[in-house]
Amino acid sequence: MKTNKLLLIILFLFSIHSFSQPKDKEKREKIRSLKVGFLTTELSLTPDEAAVFWPLYNAFDNKQNEIRSKKTKSLIDKMDNEAFAKMNEKEAFALLAQSESYDEDLFQNRRKFISSLKGVISPIKIIKLKKAEDNFNKKLLQQYRDKGPRK
């Protein structure tokens, strides 16, 4: 249950970043570089592993962000519309199906990524990757909370 809440919060943070202003691009790049350093340390990648791992990971991460952005934009477009208040069951069902489709795309992208990693790093490191990603996101969220609301 905690994982689901955390994933929802992370999705929200990524969606905020996907609609942010150009100056926030620097912040995203800083976060990305911190994430690279964190994952490298946590996974203890050898130079040979890192040379193959990072292009795969970056392609995966970019695709995940693209899917999340499409999902968020789609939902926001529907919810910002005045028609949202007048949505009928059929329209709500279609919106829910679309959301589930995006979730399936995220899952399939991760599945494909993990499959591509099996010959690159050990299964233990693949498991550590998921844990490291979760830990990084927790730390990022905690720093955001500690910083407090912006004025």
Side-chain angles (χ1 to χ4, degrees), residues 52 70 72 119 121:
V52 179
K70 284 181 185 177
T72 303
I121 60 176

Side-chain angles (χ1 to χ4, degrees), residues 118-136:
K118 287 181 180 173
V120 176
I121 60 176
S122 72
I124 292 171
K125 286 185 180 181
I126 294 173
I127 298 296
K128 285 182 178 181
L129 171 63
K130 179 63 177 144
K131 183 172 175 20
E133 286 175 316
D134 291 346
N135 288 342
F136 178 80

Side-chain angles (χ1 to χ4, degrees), residues 78 81-89 91-92:
K78 300 281 195 257
N81 192 335
E82 288 182 20
F84 178 72
K86 299 175 186 175
M87 183 182 298
N88 62 37
E89 290 293 319
E91 292 166 332

Side-chain angles (χ1 to χ4, degrees), residues 4 7-12 15 60 63-75 93-112:
N4 289 341
L7 289 175
L8 186 61
I9 291 169
I10 292 167
L11 175 64
F12 176 72
S15 66
F60 158 74
K63 183 69 175 174
Q64 291 290 90
N65 288 334
E66 178 186 320
I67 295 168
R68 285 186 195 108
S69 179
K70 284 181 185 177
K71 178 180 180 179
T72 303
K73 183 175 179 357
S74 171
L75 292 174
F93 185 78
L95 187 59
L96 183 58
Q98 184 181 33
S99 178
E100 289 172 344
S101 174
Y102 285 124
D103 290 341
E104 180 65 23
D105 291 346
L106 289 167
F107 174 75
Q108 291 302 328
N109 188 46
R110 179 166 285 281
R111 176 180 266 177
K112 181 180 170 186

Side-chain angles (χ1 to χ4, degrees), residues 30-79:
K30 183 178 179 184
I31 290 170
R32 183 171 270 219
S33 67
L34 290 170
K35 185 176 184 179
V36 166
F38 186 83
L39 294 179
T40 299
T41 302
E42 293 294 307
L43 296 178
S44 302
L45 295 173
T46 67
D48 291 339
E49 289 173 332
V52 179
F53 172 81
W54 285 112
L56 292 172
Y57 185 82
N58 290 334
F60 158 74
D61 196 42
N62 289 339
K63 183 69 175 174
Q64 291 290 90
N65 288 334
E66 178 186 320
I67 295 168
R68 285 186 195 108
S69 179
K70 284 181 185 177
K71 178 180 180 179
T72 303
K73 183 175 179 357
S74 171
L75 292 174
I76 287 174
D77 287 349
K78 300 281 195 257
M79 290 180 188

